[in-house]
Amino acid sequence: PATLWAARTDEKFDDLSVTSQIYDKKSNIKIGKVLQYLISRTGPLATTGCDHGAFVSTTGQGEPDLQIRFVPGCSLDADAIQSYIKFGELKRRGLAWPCGVTMQLLASRPKSSGAVSLRSSDPFAAPLIDLGYFSDKGHADMATLVAGLKIARNIAQQSPLAKYITEERYPGPGIATDADLEAFVRKTTCSGNALVGTCRMGGAGDAGAVVDSADLSVFGIAGLRVIDASVIPRIPGGQTGAATVMVAERAAALLVGGVPIVPPKTNGARQLVAA
């Protein structure tokens, strides 16, 4: 699960926002920026817009449970996904995307889990999806995101960034207590774009496994493999891209060379393996 903190910045810093660099005052894309990318692969279109950030342990113990993605642009809605819809409205009205900054806050090692299951025997019927956000008994995921909002505010109050900011938009200055912050998180939670485990891999004796970790074949179905993020049992502490590439490369080696995907001998050392 994920939420966000966002603020408006002084208009004199408008050119620093990635949205202002890409779109003009009527929210039309700047042709010059498109040409810059096509010719030199540089400029604002050469970035994801959220390629700066941090991984933080909100408890001060163990592995980081919070990922912060810094975006040099102001989210148009407390629900980050809705910003794209709001931008469409701005474009239709010929209005500019306001300048600002956003920090996306993700529970990078969530304790909650959801499920995807069949709705019926009809293969064309949409599946049943239960995201299961904040279903963990210890409420650790909610604690992570509430702490994340406090950390984002603390970062924004430091002088290198504070001089740019004119107004906190989300959650907003009226959202102050832990109860208020929790209510904001529940209202604005989105996926964070890192979902795994719906066909998770495991051994033959693992009742919850769909795919055999030895060769990524689906249990009980001959000639079928699953090779994507859905086989990863747990979110790997951040974005799933690198882990998915690793799975794909190991699977490619298996399919081409017949090399089984098994943990190497490590003499007790910890190594990252596919299974």
Side-chain angles (χ1 to χ4, degrees), residues 146 149-150 153 168 171-182 184:
V146 168
L149 288 169
K150 294 178 181 179
R153 280 177 165 170
E168 179 180 300
I175 307 298
T177 68
D178 284 1
D180 290 340
L181 291 171
E182 180 174 332
F184 172 80

Side-chain angles (χ1 to χ4, degrees), residues 119-239:
R119 183 182 299 272
S120 69
S121 60
D122 180 0
F124 298 102
L128 291 173
I129 300 176
D130 176 14
L131 294 173
Y133 291 154
F134 310 119
S135 58
D136 59 309
K137 294 181 180 179
H139 307 293
D141 294 346
M142 177 59 70
T144 291
L145 294 184
V146 168
L149 288 169
K150 294 178 181 179
I151 291 170
R153 280 177 165 170
N154 187 28
I155 292 172
Q157 290 168 1
Q158 306 308 309
S159 56
L161 186 56
K163 62 184 179 182
Y164 296 100
I165 294 172
T166 59
E167 174 193 9
E168 179 180 300
R169 296 300 303 271
Y170 308 113
I175 307 298
T177 68
D178 284 1
D180 290 340
L181 291 171
E182 180 174 332
F184 172 80
V185 170
R186 291 190 182 279
K187 184 178 179 180
T188 60
T189 299
C190 58
S191 73
N193 306 319
L195 302 177
V196 301
T198 51
C199 289
R200 71 176 178 86
M201 57 184 167
D206 185 346
V210 176
V211 171
D212 191 335
S213 58
D215 61 3
L216 299 176
S217 61
V218 176
F219 288 116
I221 302 179
L224 178 63
R225 288 182 170 90
V226 176
I227 305 170
D228 59 24
S230 67
V231 307
I232 301 173
R234 296 178 302 278
I235 293 175
Q239 301 311 112

Side-chain angles (χ1 to χ4, degrees), residues 103-127:
M103 284 182 250
Q104 298 175 329
L105 309 166
L106 302 88
S108 58
R109 286 184 168 84
K111 303 298 187 293
S112 303
S113 61
V116 176
S117 57
L118 297 177
R119 183 182 299 272
S120 69
S121 60
D122 180 0
F124 298 102

